[in-house]
Amino acid sequence: MEKILFIQTGFGVDVHGQDITKAAIRAVRNAIFTNSMPGIEDLLPGKDLNNMVVNVKLALPTDAELLDENAIRAIIPYGTVTVETMPGGMLTTSGIFLADKADKNDLMYIVNASVETGF
């Protein structure tokens, strides 16, 4: 990325089911879904949203190999999207094991996200 214009951060939790992709999707949505960038087209090359570059960075507490990066990319509506993972986030107890929620154990997965937007 030549120039970063915006950085948005968020976190997401999967309380039951231990699904790292679900927690990561929630983290990215938390980072981007309450923001508007009305002047971004004027800042992008060719004033074209497809020239936007978006770097999604995810701090995952476990199961990085199970992350569906295409599901993460699908959340971002424009531009070229990269997904980078690193150790981080948190595993903590949900306090209860619920078999009907597909729990494998009583852990909840907490993921941190940073979404860099630019060109």
Side-chain angles (χ1 to χ4, degrees):
M1 183 177 309
E2 180 182 323
K3 177 103 174 142
I4 296 175
L5 300 172
F6 302 98
I7 299 175
Q8 301 153 294
T9 60
F11 78 97
V13 182
D14 184 26
V15 178
H16 295 288
Q18 297 76 43
D19 185 327
I20 200 67
T21 299
K22 185 183 291 185
I25 287 170
R26 289 174 176 166
V28 173
R29 285 187 174 150
N30 181 249
I32 67 171
F33 276 23
T34 58
N35 297 286
S36 178
M37 298 182 289
I40 194 167
E41 282 181 299
D42 292 335
L43 302 173
L44 294 172
K47 296 187 178 192
D48 184 347
L49 290 174
N50 292 311
N51 291 330
M52 184 167 52
V53 174
V54 181
N55 294 333
V56 176
K57 295 180 181 179
L58 299 168
L60 307 175
T62 191
D63 294 345
E65 70 282 0
L66 299 178
L67 180 71
D68 182 349
E69 291 186 9
N70 288 327
I72 303 302
R73 286 185 192 92
I75 299 168
I76 310 296
Y78 303 103
T80 302
V81 181
T82 62
V83 178
E84 177 185 347
T85 64
M86 62 199 71
M90 177 185 279
L91 294 175
T92 191
T93 183
S94 67
I96 188 170
F97 176 89
L98 298 174
D100 64 326
K101 298 291 184 186
D103 272 349
K104 300 172 196 88
N105 52 54
D106 74 338
L107 293 177
M108 65 172 82
Y109 287 13
I110 303 173
V111 172
N112 299 101
S114 174
V115 180
E116 302 170 345
T117 304
F119 60 89

